[in-house]
Amino acid sequence: MRYQQTEFLLSASDFSHFPPDTGAEVAFVGRSNAGKSSAINALTGRRALARISKTPGRTQQINFFRIDEARRLVDLPGYGYAKVARAVRARWERLIERYLQQRRSLRGLVVVVDCRRGLTALDEMLLDWCQAADLPAHVLLTKADKLARGAAGAVLARVRRQLEGRKDGQFSAQLFSATKKQGVEDLQARLAGWYLGDGQKKAPVI
Ligand SMILES: Nc1nc2c(ncn2[C@@H]2O[C@H](COP(=O)(O)OP(=O)(O)OP(=O)(O)O)[C@@H](O)[C@H]2O)c(=O)[nH]1
Ligand SMILES: [Mg+2]
């Protein structure tokens, strides 16, 4: 797949502005500041494709990127950032929820998690949702460069244990560092399987 050709497509704050729901889409989701936009940039090798910020909660819209004619990447707004006004937060949550429930071209979710923080209750909820919707999910444990090797390995082992008991093959996890470009090939390999998947996903369960 030619990730380097990925281009920004559009930003949408409303369902009616989403691009046509055809082809295959993979979405990055996770807490504010977890490193979603950085991961998309590292994945595509395009440094300034998705906007990165030091201020959590900056990505407030759903950003769509076009890899090629049939494939897109999606940067979802971060959740769980306490300092954002409740009304604004509720709006984001509705938007994300609607996206996850109704987007038929969605093939899998990359759940981006700061490896120093581990899976939070909201991340787990998202995984529960994936399970119910029969949607594969890959937990990307980012900022691995911030931990010593042993500590990072322990986090990965713990998260993999947390994923045990969920359906086999549907859930996976890896360490990642956008800064060090660690884990880019593993992420690409996981996404390749999703993009090659068999046609449109089933109608949403929820
Ligand atoms: N050390 C290190 N810092 C990272 C890594 N990935 C992201 N960061 C930093 O973490 C901060 C947040 O990164 P973003 O990619 O903007 O995070 P996001 O999840 O898109 O954040 P929102 O859009 O606000 O939800 C920035 O200061 C990044 O430079 C990483 O792998 N290693
Ligand atoms: Mg972002």
Side-chain angles (χ1 to χ4, degrees):
M1 202 133 51
R2 299 238 180 88
Y3 281 109
Q4 273 204 291
Q5 296 181 349
T6 307
E7 290 172 349
F8 173 74
L9 189 59
L10 59 88
S11 272
S13 52
D14 190 86
F15 208 73
S16 62
H17 298 138
F18 289 180
D21 197 3
T22 56
E25 216 161 81
V26 170
F28 284 63
V29 68
R31 287 182 65 91
S32 279
N33 212 42
K36 297 173 291 297
S37 303
S38 302
I40 288 177
N41 290 341
L43 167 71
T44 56
R46 300 280 311 273
R47 229 161 18 122
L49 190 65
R51 215 166 316 145
I52 294 165
S53 68
K54 291 226 155 50
T55 324
R58 185 55 67 82
T59 313
Q60 301 193 5
Q61 296 185 314
I62 298 187
N63 291 314
F64 293 85
F65 302 93
R66 176 190 185 282
I67 302 170
D68 57 35
E69 193 80 343
R71 288 174 281 220
R72 289 177 302 278
L73 292 167
V74 182
D75 192 2
L76 293 173
Y79 50 74
Y81 184 57
K83 284 193 189 146
V84 171
R86 185 172 294 190
V88 177
R89 217 159 82 197
R91 215 182 101 73
W92 294 359
E93 282 164 13
R94 272 200 306 279
L95 184 66
I96 294 177
E97 203 172 275
R98 188 147 183 222
Y99 171 80
L100 293 176
Q101 288 178 356
Q102 300 188 3
R103 197 72 175 159
R104 296 183 65 89
S105 53
L106 181 62
R107 289 299 145 75
L109 266 195
V110 178
V111 179
V112 180
V113 173
D114 186 326
C115 70
R116 296 167 297 178
R117 204 183 256 272
L119 287 179
T120 64
L122 277 165
D123 299 323
E124 297 260 25
M125 261 179 55
L126 213 54
L127 295 173
D128 288 343
W129 183 86
C130 287
Q131 187 146 333
D134 215 6
L135 187 74
H138 186 58
V139 178
L140 198 68
L141 296 163
T142 55
K143 311 194 187 183
D145 55 282
K146 297 271 195 183
L147 288 181
R149 246 178 117 98
V155 170
L156 179 61
R158 191 179 74 228
V159 168
R160 283 190 170 146
R161 269 199 307 278
Q162 288 174 298
L163 295 177
E164 271 172 22
R166 293 185 185 271
K167 223 169 92 196
D168 255 8
Q170 190 183 347
F171 297 96
S172 50
Q174 70 159 101
L175 290 168
F176 189 84
S177 165
T179 319
K180 296 267 155 61
K181 305 277 179 289
Q182 176 195 340
V184 174
E185 292 82 7
D186 290 341
L187 178 62
Q188 288 177 342
R190 185 73 168 123
L191 264 52
W194 292 350
Y195 280 123
L196 285 173
D198 51 344
Q200 292 257 302
K201 82 174 171 97
K202 282 177 262 161
V205 173
I206 305 166

